Amino acid sequence: MRTPPAPEPRPASPRPAAVGRLLQPGRVRHEDIEARVGRPDGATVGRDHVRVAPLLHVSDLRGRRTVAVGHVTLVVPEDGGVAFDVAADSLWVHDDETGAFDELPWERADHLVAEIGALLADVPATAPADQRVAACAKTVCESSRNAVADLREFRYELELALARNSLDATGAGRQVKVVAALLQLDIIAGRAADQAREAVREGLWLYVDDDDAYHAHRSLHDPSLASVRPSEQTSLSRPWMRVHDAAVRQCTEMGRQLEQEHLAVSSLLAAASSISGAREAEAQGRFNVMVGVVSICLGVPALVLGLYGADSVVPFESWRQVWAFLPIAVVLLGSLAIATFSPAGSPVRQGRWLVGSLVLLVLTLLVFAGLVVPAADG
């Protein structure tokens, strides 16, 4: 019996492309979302499905790492592809040499449209529109939560730079740049945490799409709200509710991790302040020692000249009179060198060297005064 030929596979229907655009940054407003989905007079039939997800994205822009913070508005109609709007509230570019973050205008964030579109390309296009929009929101939320690890790497780099500059006696100027970079990193983390908290509070703006499901999900996660009614239980059984709940949990975890980053950066800033205070105290101590050494080294010669008389030494009329002051200059410069270049954190050793140099100064002056002054009188 002849086997009939296998049917040729039908060509797969083209996947609707995710079409995006870059919008001017600003807070998410209910009126703007309503206008975006084209919901006529509060109608619930034939409307588009919408979500708003927080955005924290780290990318490579012409060899330099950029950090974008904002939100993504996702719109999925019943019979079309995915449309999304990217609003970058802040855009920063990282300098790998100094560790600083330079702020860029939001117009430079056009690369985010292609990168977010590539993320959404993995969302199945055959699913219903309500499931597709939930999956797209979860994808963006998960990507934003994963980007917190990139911020953590930035903090590790700055933490290492701070430790190196703390060990370097000449690293005070570089430490100021590290502290400024830490402040900028804290601003980025704070902005991203605000986006995550707002997304959790608004339920990814689910109420624009499905008000009953929004309230049902809120009452499920917040015990202080009213208990779930039978109609709300039906809302929780919708096929895309698990995906939506996972997206909200991603935002919650994102906010928690960003809060930990804020605490870590605050600890680093406190450590940098302590290091700066210790350096200032050490510099002040060295200055006080130098002032004391100069005072003693100038006071002891004055005492010797007062004991032996200054008339035979000044004015200078011979080299013997000049040589009489040579030990003063040598011991003075040696004491200043010891006070300036003595090892940090060893005040006992520094004090011993200073006392020894001053004793040597007094003995040298007494010996030279005894030898030079009588010769000058003769």
Side-chain angles (χ1 to χ4, degrees), residues 20-61:
R21 60 179 180 174
L22 184 65
L23 294 184
Q24 186 173 359
R27 290 185 57 84
V28 182
R29 297 189 305 173
H30 179 79
E31 296 81 5
D32 297 336
I33 302 177
E34 290 285 352
R36 180 69 176 85
V37 299
R39 184 174 177 177
D41 300 329
T44 59
V45 179
R47 56 182 171 79
D48 299 335
H49 300 276
V50 60
R51 298 288 189 278
V52 181
L55 175 65
L56 173 62
H57 192 75
V58 179
S59 57
D60 189 357
L61 180 62

Side-chain angles (χ1 to χ4, degrees), residues 6 42 45 52 55 66 74 82 98 118 134 139 143 174 179 219 231 240 252 258 276 325 340 344-346 358 361:
V45 179
V52 181
L55 175 65
T66 61
L74 300 159
V82 179
T98 62
T139 300
S143 175
R174 294 189 297 271
V179 171
S219 61
S231 60
W240 47 264
T252 303
L258 288 171
S276 299
F325 287 91
T340 304
S346 57
L358 293 178
L361 170 64

Side-chain angles (χ1 to χ4, degrees), residues 230-308:
S231 60
E232 295 174 347
Q233 293 178 1
T234 304
S235 301
L236 289 175
S237 63
R238 294 177 182 177
W240 47 264
M241 181 55 70
R242 289 182 178 273
V243 180
H244 173 77
D245 181 71
V248 174
R249 292 181 184 275
Q250 293 284 351
C251 296
T252 303
E253 179 64 18
M254 173 183 170
R256 187 187 66 83
Q257 293 185 13
L258 288 171
E259 183 65 25
Q260 292 179 350
E261 289 302 307
H262 168 70
L263 295 176
V265 172
S266 299
S267 300
L268 287 177
L269 291 175
S273 178
S274 301
I275 294 172
S276 299
R279 279 184 171 175
E280 291 180 0
E282 182 181 351
Q284 184 65 36
R286 290 181 181 272
F287 177 76
N288 294 337
V289 171
M290 292 175 62
V291 170
V293 169
V294 172
S295 302
I296 295 176
C297 291
L298 293 180
V300 171
L303 177 61
V304 174
L305 291 177
L307 293 176
Y308 287 93

Side-chain angles (χ1 to χ4, degrees), residues 1-352:
M1 181 176 181
R2 187 177 180 181
T3 304
E8 297 182 358
R10 296 181 180 180
S13 59
R15 174 181 293 180
V19 181
R21 60 179 180 174
L22 184 65
L23 294 184
Q24 186 173 359
R27 290 185 57 84
V28 182
R29 297 189 305 173
H30 179 79
E31 296 81 5
D32 297 336
I33 302 177
E34 290 285 352
R36 180 69 176 85
V37 299
R39 184 174 177 177
D41 300 329
T44 59
V45 179
R47 56 182 171 79
D48 299 335
H49 300 276
V50 60
R51 298 288 189 278
V52 181
L55 175 65
L56 173 62
H57 192 75
V58 179
S59 57
D60 189 357
L61 180 62
R62 300 180 183 91
R64 304 179 69 184
R65 290 178 292 179
T66 61
V67 183
V69 179
H71 60 272
V72 180
T73 303
L74 300 159
V75 180
V76 179
E78 291 289 348
D79 54 352
V82 179
F84 63 93
D85 298 334
V86 180
D89 294 336
S90 61
L91 181 65
W92 305 76
V93 59
H94 181 258
D95 191 342
D96 292 333
E97 295 183 358
T98 62
F101 294 88
D102 300 325
E103 193 168 6
L104 297 178
W106 66 272
E107 294 88 350
R108 298 282 300 276
D110 52 352
H111 63 283
L112 294 176
V113 176
E115 295 178 4
I116 298 300
L119 284 176
L120 301 179
D122 295 332
V123 177
T126 57
D130 53 358
Q131 298 183 21
R132 259 187 299 156
V133 71
C136 290
K138 178 182 178 297
T139 300
V140 177
C141 294
E142 186 174 4
S143 175
S144 298
R145 195 262 300 170
N146 292 337
V148 180
D150 296 321
L151 294 187
R152 190 177 298 114
E153 291 298 325
F154 287 131
R155 176 172 61 83
Y156 287 153
E157 295 175 5
L158 294 174
E159 190 172 4
L160 181 59
L162 180 62
R164 290 175 177 173
N165 294 334
S166 301
L167 297 176
D168 188 0
T170 61
R174 294 189 297 271
Q175 183 171 332
V176 173
K177 296 181 181 179
V178 173
V179 171
L182 285 172
L183 287 173
Q184 293 168 331
L185 182 62
D186 195 31
I187 293 173
I188 295 173
R191 283 183 174 272
D194 291 340
Q195 293 288 346
R197 281 191 293 266
E198 189 173 8
V200 173
R201 183 178 65 251
E202 301 296 337
L204 305 181
W205 280 261
L206 173 62
Y207 58 85
V208 178
D209 189 336
D210 193 331
D211 189 72
D212 292 337
Y214 166 77
H215 288 288
H217 188 264
R218 282 292 308 275
S219 61
L220 181 65
H221 284 269
D222 192 351
S224 63
L225 299 177
S227 59
V228 180
R229 298 186 296 271
S231 60
E232 295 174 347
Q233 293 178 1
T234 304
S235 301
L236 289 175
S237 63
R238 294 177 182 177
W240 47 264
M241 181 55 70
R242 289 182 178 273
V243 180
H244 173 77
D245 181 71
V248 174
R249 292 181 184 275
Q250 293 284 351
C251 296
T252 303
E253 179 64 18
M254 173 183 170
R256 187 187 66 83
Q257 293 185 13
L258 288 171
E259 183 65 25
Q260 292 179 350
E261 289 302 307
H262 168 70
L263 295 176
V265 172
S266 299
S267 300
L268 287 177
L269 291 175
S273 178
S274 301
I275 294 172
S276 299
R279 279 184 171 175
E280 291 180 0
E282 182 181 351
Q284 184 65 36
R286 290 181 181 272
F287 177 76
N288 294 337
V289 171
M290 292 175 62
V291 170
V293 169
V294 172
S295 302
I296 295 176
C297 291
L298 293 180
V300 171
L303 177 61
V304 174
L305 291 177
L307 293 176
Y308 287 93
D311 295 338
S312 60
V313 181
V314 292
F316 299 134
E317 296 178 352
S318 65
W319 284 105
R320 284 181 174 272
Q321 293 172 315
V322 176
W323 292 346
F325 287 91
L326 183 59
I328 302 175
V330 172
V331 178
L332 175 61
L333 295 178
S335 302
L336 292 178
I338 292 173
T340 304
F341 300 105
S342 59
S346 57
V348 176
R349 183 184 304 176
Q350 181 178 344
R352 291 174 181 175

